[in-house]
Amino acid sequence: MESIQIISTSIVCVASDHKEPNLRIHLTTWDLELLLQDGIQKGLVFHKPKPDHDPHHENLIHHLQTSLSRTLDFFLPLAGRLATIQNVDETMSFFIDCNNAGAEFVHAVADGVSVSDIIEQTYVPDLIVNSFFRLNGIRNYEGTSKPLLGVQVTELVDGIFIGCSINHAVLDGTSFWHFFNSWSEISRGFDSLSKPPILQRWFLRDTDYPIPIPLFKNEQLHSKVVPPPPLQQRVFHFTAESIAKLKANANASIGAEKISSLQALLSHLWRSAVHSKRLDPDQETSFRIIIGVRSRLQPPLPQQYLGNAIQGADITMKAREVLEQGLGYVALQMNKTVAMHTEEKLRHYLESWRENPKFAIETHDSLPSNCFLTSSSPRYNVYGNDFGWGRPIAVRSGPANKFDGKMTIFPGSEEGSVDIEACLSPKTLQGLGNDAEFIDVFTDL
């Protein structure tokens, strides 16, 4: 691997001198259930700024640090730390202490690594891309002592990679990209944000916090050291036209206009992955989707709500059913599962979780080999992140929460297109690339 040289490491705090006492933000059920997972890690690839087009070129790193500090003025929790309350009944509660302990900022140089080395390879160069992120291997509950935000700006031969790692108990994907978008606005010279974040957490009732949870057991914090299986990642690109064709075929096969573009695309991916894995026809396989619930509450939560507002949902079928029933049938089951997540169901879930807390863990040794899981969304504003020298040319994710079957969804660079970063065993990934039905839909990047 080409060497990554760390030039400097610093702590970036909020720019303003906030005189009020430290703000406490108690974690919700949706936040708490992610404490044993890794954070969110996403990064953007840019062409290197040209000196004549970028007035900040000579002081690019200083400019990014300064603009990050000003952005943290609005996103106070990201400059804080998690804190705990030990309750008398042998439970504990978590909150965000907005104490301005600061975010980690690292300036690095990747000797000999060019933009093409990252985006033009058939498979994602994991060792290189993983080294572009901070807080690797840090789980969310460790935010009591570790930064909640880690940024690494890595200079490439002909480009820049800006990688962000954020504690997932603090925010979800919608809030992650809201922060990234806001930072790019401040970097471009905005004095204020077009969409300031809303820091107040949403609870079922005003008296619902702090939420007590059982003390973590030693085996939860220190899982068995099981070597991960060999994994590879590949980014598949789907054009707007190919997705529209999939959607039309899915709806035609069920004789109704119920299937969304994303449901058709994910169902196509699931069917192809099951085929490539060569699962036993009678073996059950599940596909977990992440449902954003801001718009499903009454009244709806605003998109600027800073926190987690997501619900996982599983579609489970036998492998034979996935392959033989066809695209429309599989997509319809996905559609029905999403439709079931009404506000009543969400409220019931939150009530029952408090009675019996369960913490999500997504690792190679905690999930069956026949499980697939999606993260991220094609609706996020990824390519609008112009820091002052042009739009990004690609997006990549870090090593957090990766396992055989993880599918990360991004918008493509062209309007209406979608990129899916598939993390699978080499054999399965090769099978996908050789699947005639699958390759008829995607465009190799």
Side-chain angles (χ1 to χ4, degrees):
M1 186 188 100
E2 288 78 358
S3 80
I4 303 295
Q5 181 183 2
I6 303 298
I7 305 300
S8 64
T9 300
S10 57
I11 295 296
V12 175
C13 299
V14 299
S16 298
D17 185 12
H18 292 269
K19 297 295 185 182
E20 65 271 14
N22 292 355
L23 177 66
R24 279 191 177 194
I25 300 176
H26 291 280
L27 298 190
T28 70
T29 295
W30 286 315
D31 303 324
L32 292 168
E33 63 182 350
L34 300 173
L35 282 170
L36 296 182
Q37 285 193 13
D38 299 337
I40 303 178
Q41 295 182 316
K42 303 290 185 291
L44 299 174
V45 187
F46 297 85
H47 288 302
K48 182 164 285 189
K50 297 179 179 178
D52 55 337
H53 291 157
D54 176 29
H56 308 296
H57 178 71
E58 292 183 1
N59 298 297
L60 176 65
I61 301 303
H62 176 71
H63 171 73
L64 289 174
Q65 285 178 317
T66 302
S67 58
L68 174 60
S69 177
R70 292 182 55 217
T71 307
L72 291 175
D73 271 352
F74 301 93
F75 290 82
L76 292 175
L78 298 185
R81 297 290 184 270
L82 294 185
T84 58
I85 302 170
Q86 302 297 319
N87 302 315
V88 295
D89 60 352
E90 295 189 353
T91 64
M92 61 180 172
S93 302
F94 277 82
F95 65 92
I96 305 169
D97 182 5
C98 299
N99 58 6
N100 200 20
E104 183 181 48
F105 185 98
V106 170
H107 171 209
V109 173
D111 293 330
V113 178
S114 65
V115 168
S116 62
D117 291 329
I118 300 170
I119 68 173
E120 294 182 8
Q121 309 300 313
T122 301
Y123 299 104
V124 176
D126 294 343
L127 291 178
I128 295 175
V129 173
N130 291 352
S131 69
F132 294 163
F133 291 92
R134 309 308 301 167
L135 306 180
N136 291 339
I138 302 299
R139 291 202 278 176
N140 296 316
Y141 74 86
E142 297 180 79
T144 52
S145 59
K146 303 291 185 182
L148 303 182
L149 166 63
V151 172
Q152 181 171 316
V153 179
T154 306
E155 295 187 57
L156 312 176
V157 171
D158 54 352
I160 298 285
F161 191 98
I162 300 179
C164 278
S165 302
I166 303 183
N167 191 297
H168 205 340
V170 175
L171 49 68
D172 60 11
T174 297
S175 293
F176 178 97
W177 287 108
H178 182 196
F179 162 74
F180 226 134
N181 299 156
S182 300
W183 183 16
S184 69
E185 283 186 345
I186 296 295
S187 179
R188 289 201 308 275
F190 283 45
D191 291 325
S192 59
L193 300 182
S194 59
K195 298 177 181 178
I198 296 172
L199 305 187
Q200 183 178 0
R201 284 298 204 268
W202 181 88
F203 292 90
L204 282 173
R205 293 171 291 273
D206 290 341
T207 58
D208 241 11
Y209 59 86
I211 297 176
I213 61 173
L215 298 175
F216 288 132
K217 298 176 182 177
N218 190 62
E219 56 266 30
Q220 290 176 297
L221 303 181
H222 306 285
S223 55
K224 294 178 292 186
V225 180
V226 180
L231 296 174
Q232 285 185 316
Q233 296 182 85
R234 183 172 178 178
V235 179
F236 296 101
H237 180 71
F238 300 86
T239 64
E241 293 75 20
S242 66
I243 297 172
K245 183 179 177 181
L246 275 177
K247 178 182 176 181
N249 290 344
N251 281 306
S253 68
I254 64 169
E257 289 294 324
K258 291 186 175 181
I259 310 302
S260 71
S261 297
L262 184 58
Q263 289 163 4
L265 178 58
L266 294 181
S267 298
H268 174 69
L269 177 65
W270 187 15
R271 297 181 71 239
S272 300
V274 166
H275 178 262
S276 296
K277 270 185 176 285
R278 304 197 179 282
L279 297 178
D280 183 292
D282 291 319
Q283 185 177 4
E284 283 198 335
T285 175
S286 65
F287 197 95
R288 169 161 286 204
I289 54 177
I290 305 299
I291 301 171
V293 301
R294 283 171 172 78
S295 61
R296 293 174 182 270
L297 298 172
Q298 293 299 327
L301 281 177
Q303 288 299 301
Q304 301 100 291
Y305 171 80
L306 189 72
N308 286 284
I310 52 175
Q311 187 79 46
D314 293 321
I315 303 95
T316 301
M317 289 186 269
K318 289 187 175 180
R320 183 196 313 278
E321 197 177 2
V322 173
L323 295 176
E324 294 179 0
Q325 290 291 343
L327 176 67
Y329 175 85
V330 175
L332 183 59
Q333 309 318 305
M334 194 173 292
N335 176 275
K336 290 178 178 178
T337 299
V338 173
M340 285 171 53
H341 283 73
T342 61
E343 184 186 40
E344 181 182 3
K345 183 178 177 68
L346 293 171
R347 287 180 175 271
H348 175 74
Y349 172 82
L350 297 176
E351 293 278 15
S352 61
W353 193 93
R354 288 197 58 159
E355 298 298 320
N356 183 26
K358 294 181 179 179
F359 300 92
I361 303 177
E362 295 167 8
T363 61
H364 66 276
D365 56 346
S366 67
L367 293 167
S369 61
N370 56 346
C371 173
F372 302 90
L373 184 148
T374 60
S375 70
S376 199
S377 167
R379 298 185 180 91
Y380 297 150
N381 179 14
V382 171
Y383 288 93
N385 286 291
D386 180 354
F387 281 78
W389 63 85
R391 285 161 46 93
I393 51 178
V395 56
R396 291 292 183 268
S397 64
N401 301 311
K402 290 290 177 67
F403 61 92
D404 184 4
K406 180 69 173 289
M407 308 291 182
T408 306
I409 312 164
F410 296 112
S413 56
E414 307 94 30
E415 183 72 27
S417 65
V418 173
D419 291 342
I420 295 182
E421 185 182 74
C423 179
L424 295 161
S425 71
K427 184 178 180 180
T428 303
L429 205 52
Q430 184 178 18
L432 267 184
N434 294 331
D435 184 335
E437 184 179 352
F438 185 70
I439 62 175
D440 184 51
V441 177
F442 89 88
T443 303
D444 206 354
L445 287 172

